[in-house]
Amino acid sequence: MSNTVIVGAQWGDEGKGKIIDFLAKKVDAVVRFQGGSNAGHTVVVNNEKFIFHLIPSGILHPGKKCIIGNGVVVDPKVLIAEIEDLKSRGIKVDDLYLSSQAHIVMPYHMEIERLEEEQRGEGKIGTTKRGIGPAYTDKIARRGIRVADLLERETLTQKLKINLEFLKNFYGLNLPLKNALEEYLQYGRKLKRYITDTSMLVYELMREGKNVLFEGAQGTLLDVDHGTYPYVTSSNPTAGGVCTGVGIGPTRIDKVLGVAKAYVTRVGEGPFPTEIKGEIGEILKNRGKEYGSTTGRPRRCGWFDGVVLRYAVRINGLDELILTKLDVLDTLDKIKICVAYKYKHQVIREFPSQPRIWQECEPIYEEMEGWKEDTSKVTRSKDLPWKAKKYLKKIEDEGGVPIHLLSVGPQRGDLLVLD
Ligand code: GDP
Ligand code: IMO
Ligand code: MG
């Protein structure tokens, strides 16, 4: 396998964790490049469930380097808890590497986020409350605390002072320096053995001809530049985010794969043209167990959106698609797929850049026959019901990309390579 990027092609939770776990066995390293503990990536092995928030989803394969790049925002408390949890379940966490340049999520980021969401009122984003937005804000505002700072008392003291002063003046928050200082220095000591220059590490791996998998969190439509702004996350989950989020050049990437669900879900607020409000939405939610891996919130469900897929193909330069959760559609009589949007008598095939259209457009659907058969036990593509094959072909035609892998269940082995 070559150096490959995996991104979410919709609004997150497409099943990236399961796919990364599957592909990890063929590579030497798995690298997270953006996001933080807003991510919840699920891997199920022999009915045992793992949910990864910060640690790359390749960690269950011994000997694979798992790297947290500079583009990630790290809550050290969450990371340490994740390491401890894995160890207590018998998983070795020796090959973990954490960028010294990654930014730290502080407790005050969560507090700021709470205040901001409160102030937005009806227009709230519905964030995961993990402090992600404010942490990235501090990074861009050049007052962020970085992983390496946790190793230097003097630097951390100085940076904390600046930040606490800022919080007092702008938010009226009075936080004590002493407690935070000692607590975060302690996290630094616990994480020290993992901290390194991860850009150099990835560069060396690539120079040795090793294969690297880049693990996207969130999804294309949650990208801060290309998503349904402002109802997005605060990073670039699209393929372009890899270069800045790891510190490698674009010429080092060989392949970009997108993961999409056989329908669409979204957690939190914001436009969702193909959302189903009614019985079928409930069926998808229940059969797909559509509850957030990080927050437990019910996910909004909708029909597959070909306009969104075409957009994901364009923005990420997708070479191939990986489709998940086909089995969830097994019981439906009819399945709809959105091929275009209608807005004021206009038919729109490409994802529009104007928020008004996302909010007010009407999806144009093509209806297909459901296959009404259990696909969850299928292991060879030729054994798929022909109506399911027709549905897959329709998705490929809409996106203009081939489906390479098909997932038909949550377990590690519930996966088919499509010819
Ligand atoms: P991620 O954030 O993209 O890694 O996705 P999540 O882990 O948040 O959500 C995907 C959910 O679907 C998890 O509960 C997975 O165990 C589950 N899942 C993944 N693939 C399949 C599949 O093909 N069929 C079914 N039924 N569940 C799946
Ligand atoms: P994975 O990696 C689905 C959503 C939140 C909210 C918006 C902003 O598991 O696919 P944030 O906390 O990032 O500031 O919230 O983004 N969101 C996700 N939705 N999956 C995720 O991650 C998400 N991470 C953030 O629900 O709408
Ligand atoms: Mg998730």
Side-chain angles (χ1 to χ4, degrees):
M1 212 169 150
S2 41
N3 298 317
T4 304
V5 178
I6 297 279
V7 291
Q10 296 158 333
W11 276 277
D13 300 327
E14 296 91 347
K16 300 176 292 293
K18 177 189 156 153
I19 302 303
I20 298 282
D21 168 71
F22 173 75
L23 296 175
K25 63 176 189 271
K26 300 184 186 172
V27 301
D28 302 284
V30 182
V31 190
R32 274 281 305 270
F33 58 93
Q34 48 68 233
S37 51
N38 48 350
H41 296 177
T42 315
V43 179
V44 186
V45 186
N46 299 328
N47 291 319
E48 190 175 353
K49 193 179 198 176
F50 297 86
I51 299 178
F52 302 111
H53 300 292
L54 282 165
I55 294 184
S57 306
I59 195 77
L60 301 180
H61 298 273
K64 309 290 177 181
K65 289 191 167 30
C66 284
I67 303 171
I68 301 174
N70 60 275
V72 176
V73 287
V74 178
D75 183 332
K77 246 192 274 193
V78 175
L79 180 56
I80 291 166
E82 214 168 321
I83 295 170
E84 294 305 324
D85 176 60
L86 281 172
K87 282 187 184 164
S88 73
R89 295 165 79 174
I91 310 296
K92 281 215 166 77
V93 193
D94 298 334
D95 264 330
L96 180 69
Y97 302 84
L98 170 62
S99 169
S100 53
Q101 289 164 291
H103 279 247
I104 297 290
V105 180
M106 298 294 289
Y108 51 77
H109 290 135
M110 278 161 255
E111 182 57 15
I112 295 169
E113 185 173 16
R114 195 186 62 74
L115 293 170
E116 284 179 352
E117 279 284 80
E118 207 174 84
Q119 198 168 50
R120 286 187 190 110
E122 286 287 291
K124 74 174 197 289
I125 291 163
T127 71
T128 58
K129 301 184 176 149
R130 297 299 186 269
I132 305 301
Y136 277 116
T137 302
D138 279 0
K139 169 176 171 170
I140 301 301
R142 295 163 295 185
R143 58 173 171 262
I145 293 172
R146 307 210 289 186
V147 166
D149 301 332
L150 302 186
L151 304 177
E152 291 179 21
R153 178 177 283 273
E154 210 174 303
T155 317
L156 186 60
T157 309
Q158 207 177 22
K159 283 201 167 183
L160 269 172
K161 261 191 195 152
I162 293 170
N163 278 285
L164 297 183
E165 194 64 22
F166 176 83
L167 290 168
K168 195 164 78 190
N169 295 339
F170 284 82
Y171 291 95
L173 291 174
N174 261 310
L175 302 171
L177 173 67
K178 185 87 175 99
N179 296 352
L181 180 65
E182 296 309 326
E183 184 182 345
Y184 281 77
L185 285 170
Q186 165 84 349
Y187 296 146
R189 286 192 286 276
K190 282 198 174 156
L191 292 172
K192 189 167 185 228
R193 57 175 293 211
Y194 305 110
I195 300 172
T196 190
D197 178 344
T198 50
S199 161
M200 195 63 194
L201 174 63
V202 173
Y203 178 74
E204 294 287 354
L205 284 171
M206 287 178 161
R207 233 175 31 168
E208 289 164 22
K210 300 274 201 286
N211 296 315
V212 182
L213 189 61
F214 297 97
E215 174 175 359
Q218 290 82 51
T220 303
L221 278 296
L222 288 173
D223 187 286
V224 69
D225 286 282
H226 303 290
T228 45
Y229 192 89
Y231 299 96
V232 292
T233 191
S234 299
S235 67
N236 290 114
T238 45
V242 172
C243 295
T244 49
V246 179
I248 58 159
T251 49
R252 296 296 168 263
I253 295 170
D254 301 304
K255 216 172 192 188
V256 183
L257 307 180
V259 184
K261 265 181 202 171
Y263 48 100
V264 182
T265 62
R266 167 160 213 175
V267 210
E269 310 302 320
F272 182 1
T274 63
E275 181 168 17
I276 311 169
K277 290 192 171 123
E279 190 197 343
I280 293 181
E282 286 299 304
I283 294 174
L284 295 181
K285 191 172 76 187
N286 294 331
R287 282 186 54 82
K289 301 195 171 66
E290 295 297 356
Y291 294 89
S293 314
T294 299
T295 58
R297 289 179 292 175
R299 295 173 181 151
R300 299 153 66 192
C301 297
W303 296 114
F304 192 91
D305 189 333
V307 182
V308 162
L309 175 61
R310 271 192 290 283
Y311 186 59
V313 170
R314 171 159 71 86
I315 295 290
N316 298 294
L318 297 187
D319 293 301
E320 289 168 359
L321 192 66
I322 296 169
L323 199 78
T324 62
K325 304 192 92 162
L326 186 79
D327 54 298
V328 174
L329 304 180
D330 283 352
T331 59
L332 300 183
D333 295 322
K334 302 273 182 204
I335 297 172
K336 289 186 187 178
I337 173 165
C338 167
V339 294
Y341 301 152
K342 193 170 163 196
Y343 178 71
K344 296 192 174 166
H345 309 291
Q346 237 184 307
V347 173
I348 299 171
R349 275 185 54 82
E350 298 302 329
F351 196 74
S353 55
Q354 305 94 306
R356 182 172 298 283
I357 305 184
W358 313 327
Q359 301 281 7
E360 295 176 14
C361 70
E362 233 180 86
I364 300 175
Y365 289 115
E366 281 185 25
E367 197 172 72
M368 304 183 71
E369 292 281 316
W371 43 91
K372 308 267 290 175
E373 275 180 59
D374 181 6
T375 59
S376 70
K377 304 288 179 300
V378 176
T379 54
R380 298 176 304 182
S381 66
K382 64 178 181 140
D383 297 333
L384 283 167
W386 72 268
K387 286 178 183 168
K389 281 186 193 162
K390 213 170 145 195
Y391 182 63
L392 299 180
K393 174 75 172 52
K394 178 72 188 158
I395 290 177
E396 287 183 326
D397 289 348
E398 284 303 314
V401 274
I403 301 174
H404 169 55
L405 284 172
L406 176 70
S407 174
V408 290
Q411 297 281 339
R412 189 182 254 176
D414 301 334
L415 207 56
L416 292 77
V417 179
L418 295 192
D419 333 304

